[in-house]
Amino acid sequence: MRRLARTKAPVIDRIVLHDLSPAPATALEGEGMHEGLLLEGEDLSQRDLSGVVLSECALLGVTAHETDLRSSRLLETRIERMDASVLNLSRAVLRDVEIHGSRIGALDVYESSLSSVRFVGCKVDWINLRGAELENVLFEDCTIAEVDLGGARATRLAFEGCRTERLSVRQSRLQDVDLRGLQLVEVDDLQGLRGATIDGARAVELATSFAAHLGIRVED
């Protein structure tokens, strides 16, 4: 019997930022290209920054309620302690991005491309990754009420020390997706878990759901 290959872990490139220039929130403009900026304690709430490019930047302690970052490009950028009720990053490109200790209500990243992205110690009510392309993405010590991967393509995605109430994987395409570090309550479509890895404890928790999916009646 052929043995299955072990699950491949995400490969996350380390971000090293040097000689950043402090800048006010007004320095950022939609469709603008910005490199090497440090925004600390600034308020970007309700700003239309769609199409903006941030390269080798740091956003620290920034408020971003209902900020529009659609079709933006975040490259080699670090975000720490962001507070946002709604953050729109739909159809964006995130490459070599780290998001630490942030509190976000609704994070819209649908149809976006995420490569070498790391979330650490974040609390998110809902992350919308529908139709997104994820490669080498890691969530560490995060609490997310709902993770929506419907229709997404994910390769080398992992969760470590995380918890979610609901995981949506309807029509998703998963490869080397490691869910062993994700405590979850509900999965909306077990067929969508094909290509994911779970541990024995998760398999036991989902046993009733697996049985129902296969048409098996469980009676004591």
Side-chain angles (χ1 to χ4, degrees), residues 189-191 208-216:
D189 182 11
L190 294 175
Q191 185 67 31
T208 302
S209 297
F210 285 137
H213 177 69
L214 294 171
I216 299 171

Side-chain angles (χ1 to χ4, degrees), residues 211 215-219:
I216 299 171
R217 180 181 299 153
V218 179
E219 296 181 353

Side-chain angles (χ1 to χ4, degrees), residues 50 69 72 90 105 109 111 121 130 138 152 170 184 198 217:
S50 53
L69 287 164
S72 61
S90 58
V109 221
E111 297 180 5
R130 294 177 194 160
L138 176 62
R170 192 175 301 277
L184 54 90
I198 61 175
R217 180 181 299 153

Side-chain angles (χ1 to χ4, degrees), residues 102-105 119-127 139-147 159-165 182-183:
S102 296
R103 176 68 177 91
I104 303 173
F119 294 82
V120 183
C122 295
K123 292 186 177 181
V124 183
D125 291 337
W126 177 52
I127 181 167
F139 290 85
E140 294 182 82
D141 302 320
C142 294
T143 300
I144 308 170
E146 181 174 354
V147 179
F159 296 83
E160 297 179 0
C162 296
R163 174 179 170 78
T164 187
E165 294 294 321
L182 178 64
Q183 285 187 306

Side-chain angles (χ1 to χ4, degrees), residues 47-186:
R47 291 281 307 279
D48 182 359
L49 298 174
S50 53
V52 72
V53 178
L54 300 179
S55 178
E56 298 181 44
C57 293
L59 281 65
L60 310 180
V62 166
T63 303
H65 299 309
E66 299 184 21
T67 302
D68 189 348
L69 287 164
R70 285 176 297 173
S71 303
S72 61
R73 294 174 63 86
L74 276 58
L75 315 172
E76 294 184 72
T77 289
R78 181 190 304 272
I79 297 173
E80 294 184 11
R81 306 183 312 280
M82 174 177 278
D83 183 17
S85 56
V86 178
L87 185 63
N88 189 344
L89 273 164
S90 58
R91 300 188 177 95
V93 173
L94 283 70
R95 188 176 72 235
D96 297 322
V97 171
E98 292 185 358
I99 302 177
H100 292 257
S102 296
R103 176 68 177 91
I104 303 173
L107 177 56
D108 254 324
V109 221
Y110 69 85
E111 297 180 5
S112 292
S113 172
L114 289 76
S115 176
S116 188
V117 176
R118 186 169 172 241
F119 294 82
V120 183
C122 295
K123 292 186 177 181
V124 183
D125 291 337
W126 177 52
I127 181 167
N128 179 7
L129 288 158
R130 294 177 194 160
E133 299 274 344
L134 301 91
E135 185 173 9
N136 295 314
V137 176
L138 176 62
F139 290 85
E140 294 182 82
D141 302 320
C142 294
T143 300
I144 308 170
E146 181 174 354
V147 179
D148 192 343
L149 285 165
R153 183 191 295 271
T155 305
R156 292 189 298 279
L157 164 66
F159 296 83
E160 297 179 0
C162 296
R163 174 179 170 78
T164 187
E165 294 294 321
R166 188 171 191 271
L167 174 64
S168 178
V169 286
R170 192 175 301 277
Q171 297 183 335
S172 61
R173 291 158 291 177
L174 311 180
Q175 181 178 346
D176 292 309
V177 171
D178 195 340
L179 302 178
R180 289 174 291 183
L182 178 64
Q183 285 187 306
L184 54 90
V185 176
E186 178 187 355

